[in-house]
């Protein structure tokens, strides 16, 4: 069967801008601006939004307003609101905010696991297990983010076998779906496909999403490579915001605007209104005092101005 025949007819985009996008911003972004961003994303038709994280405010000060942001959101039926919870303390703090889904986040690289969440991969799984169990018992969905599935800022290239092993561990503790993350955006299509292939040993195609940072400008190509495998869930960040505080030099996720344009051009349905999405990206970019980090947003804004 030709790979291209697996290309899905519809794609779900999970905008991680409010969380992955803003977590690394040095100047505090007020809760009301984050809330407005979430509202604009959902008004544009985004059906999944990663809103915030319940991590140590000493480690990631920008996410310290998690409770306030979650409380301020006007929830839209049919939209899934997820939050990151690295341990039981984070999960317990998140419960009152009623997330639809929590995200435990591990890494395929030992060094990154230590830098990001201060424990080994094995220890992280021990910490996640009770979190997953408690979340499922409370009727909350569980996603697992897998960092450094292609490359690590500390260990260099990561073998697909390590990705498969992490996926296996996540599956064993009850994680329902996983993100194959290229944390530092070093991946190219064949390498990303190998990481996804390893993940597919343990998770069904419907339970795998692509999370590609765009540091080296490869994220759209990597998205196309994943589409060819039938992957239909992707995380992206409005205006290309972001970067991980423990992955120095890595830029944001591929911009949601660029992915939507790619998909629309391929006749793949996303349910997202690109013009409204560009407005959402402009809103947050204006607040941050910079231009959207998105070729498509730039082109559309230039066209409007002209
Ligand atoms: P730790 O220091 O090992 O934790 O941090 P600990 O259990 O020893 O506790 C130390 C202190 O932290 C205590 O406070 C705890 O109460 C507090 P103290 O007594 O010193 O005042 N604490 C917490 N506070 C709030 N919320 C919590 C929490 N847990 C402990 N949940 C920890 C472990 C994971 C908390 C820490 O390492 C941390 O917060 N790391 C931040 C990780 C992070 O947010 N990284 C960015 C997100 S991941 C990402 O961007 C990658 C992704 O996009 C995919 C990709 O692209 O690769 C998902
Ligand atoms: Mg990320």
């Amino acid at each position: 069967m030709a790979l291209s025949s697996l290309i899905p007819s519809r794609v779900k985009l999970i905008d991680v801008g409010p969380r992955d996008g803003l977590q690394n911003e040095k100047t505090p972004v007020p809760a009301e601006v984050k809330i407005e961003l979430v509202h604009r994303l959902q008004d544009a038709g985004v059906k999944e939004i990663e809103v915030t994280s319940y991590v140590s405010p000493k480690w990631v000060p920008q996410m310290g307003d998690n409770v306030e942001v979650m409380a301020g959101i006007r929830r839209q039926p049919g939209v899934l609101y997820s939050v990151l919870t690295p341990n039981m303390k984070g999960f317990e703090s998140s419960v009152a905010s009623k997330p639809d889904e929590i995200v435990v986040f591990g890494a395929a690289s030992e060094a990154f696991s230590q830098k990001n969440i201060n424990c080994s991969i094995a220890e992280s799984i021990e910490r996640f297990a009770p979190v997953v169990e408690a979340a499922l018992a409370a009727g909350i969905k569980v996603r697992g983010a897998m960092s450094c599935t292609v490359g690590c800022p500390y260990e260099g290239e990561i073998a697909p076998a390590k990705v498969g092993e992490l996926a296996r561990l996540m599956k064993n503790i009850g994680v329902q779906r996983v993100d194959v993350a290229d944390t530092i955006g070093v991946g190219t299509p064949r390498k990303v496909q190998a990481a996804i292939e390893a993940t597919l040993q343990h998770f069904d195609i419907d339970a795998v999403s692509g999370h590609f940072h765009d540091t080296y400008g490869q994220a759209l190509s990597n998205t196309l490579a994943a589409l060819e495998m039938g992957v239909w869930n992707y995380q992206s960040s409005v205006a290309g915001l972001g970067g991980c505080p423990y992955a120095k030099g890595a830029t944001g996720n591929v911009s949601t605007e660029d992915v939507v344009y790619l998909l629309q051009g391929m006749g793949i349905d996303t349910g997202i209104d690109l013009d409204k999405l560009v407005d959402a990206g402009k809103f947050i970019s204006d607040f941050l005092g910079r231009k959207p980090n998105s070729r498509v947003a730039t082109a559309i804004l230039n066209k409007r101005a002209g």
Side-chain angles (χ1 to χ4, degrees):
M1 194 194 297
L3 272 180
S4 58
S5 67
L6 298 177
I7 288 183
S9 57
R10 133 187 115 81
V11 154
K12 173 85 72 73
L13 293 181
I14 303 160
D15 201 293
V16 296
R19 195 282 302 170
D20 206 341
L22 295 180
Q23 69 182 5
N24 211 22
E25 288 297 329
K26 295 287 169 281
T27 34
V29 177
E32 62 263 27
V33 173
K34 294 171 179 164
I35 292 164
E36 172 75 18
L37 177 61
V38 170
H39 289 166
R40 284 172 176 261
L41 289 171
Q42 63 193 17
D43 289 348
V46 178
K47 292 292 180 221
E48 289 200 28
I49 305 174
E50 205 173 86
V51 179
T52 186
S53 55
Y54 291 78
V55 298
S56 164
K58 287 184 191 148
W59 285 59
V60 186
Q62 187 64 258
M63 297 286 108
D65 58 0
N66 40 31
V67 171
E68 198 184 341
V69 173
M70 283 296 279
I73 291 169
R74 189 181 62 242
R75 297 200 188 196
Q76 208 177 77
V79 175
L80 183 145
Y81 304 89
S82 56
V83 302
L84 266 58
T85 59
N87 54 17
M88 211 54 201
K89 184 176 168 71
F91 173 70
E92 280 164 358
S93 316
S94 80
V95 171
S97 303
K98 298 194 186 318
D100 297 306
E101 180 178 62
I102 56 113
V103 184
V104 291
F105 49 104
S109 139
E110 281 294 348
F112 190 80
S113 182
Q114 288 291 352
K115 295 275 186 195
N116 195 38
I117 51 174
N118 206 23
C119 63
S120 68
I121 296 171
E123 285 163 347
S124 74
I125 296 294
E126 273 171 38
R127 285 183 191 180
F128 300 156
V131 174
V132 175
E133 197 184 336
L136 294 177
I140 301 171
K141 295 186 168 77
V142 178
R143 178 153 54 87
M146 305 195 296
S147 289
C148 299
T149 60
V150 187
C152 166
Y154 313 104
E155 291 183 14
E157 200 150 323
I158 298 294
K162 290 194 176 173
V163 181
E165 177 56 11
L166 179 62
R168 189 184 69 79
L169 293 170
M170 290 242 181
K171 183 79 185 179
N172 279 350
I173 58 168
V175 168
Q176 295 169 303
R177 56 178 186 152
V178 283
D179 313 331
V180 178
D182 181 8
T183 312
I184 54 171
V186 290
T188 42
R190 296 283 175 250
K191 289 180 185 173
V192 164
Q193 285 182 334
I196 292 171
E197 191 73 52
T199 306
L200 288 172
Q201 306 299 312
H202 306 283
F203 285 90
D204 188 75
I205 193 82
D206 296 339
V208 173
S209 50
H211 177 117
F212 308 133
H213 285 260
D214 201 28
T215 318
Y216 285 80
Q218 304 299 304
L220 273 186
S221 311
N222 294 338
T223 302
L224 182 56
L227 283 168
E228 286 180 339
M229 299 177 78
V231 173
W232 60 278
N233 287 276
Y234 295 90
Q235 277 120 33
S236 55
S237 181
V238 68
L241 298 170
C244 175
Y246 302 100
K248 289 272 172 294
T251 61
N253 288 80
V254 63
S255 75
T256 310
E257 296 91 318
D258 287 10
V259 179
V260 169
Y261 182 85
L262 169 78
L263 296 170
Q264 282 186 351
M266 292 174 72
I268 299 171
D269 180 32
T270 62
I272 294 175
D273 179 323
L274 184 53
D275 271 313
K276 283 189 177 174
L277 184 67
V278 168
D279 291 340
K282 184 165 175 356
F283 161 76
I284 190 66
S285 301
D286 284 349
F287 175 83
L288 296 169
R290 65 174 86 116
K291 302 254 183 259
N293 189 14
S294 158
R295 300 285 283 265
V296 167
T298 304
I300 290 175
L301 290 169
N302 285 343
K303 199 169 166 186
R304 282 185 193 169

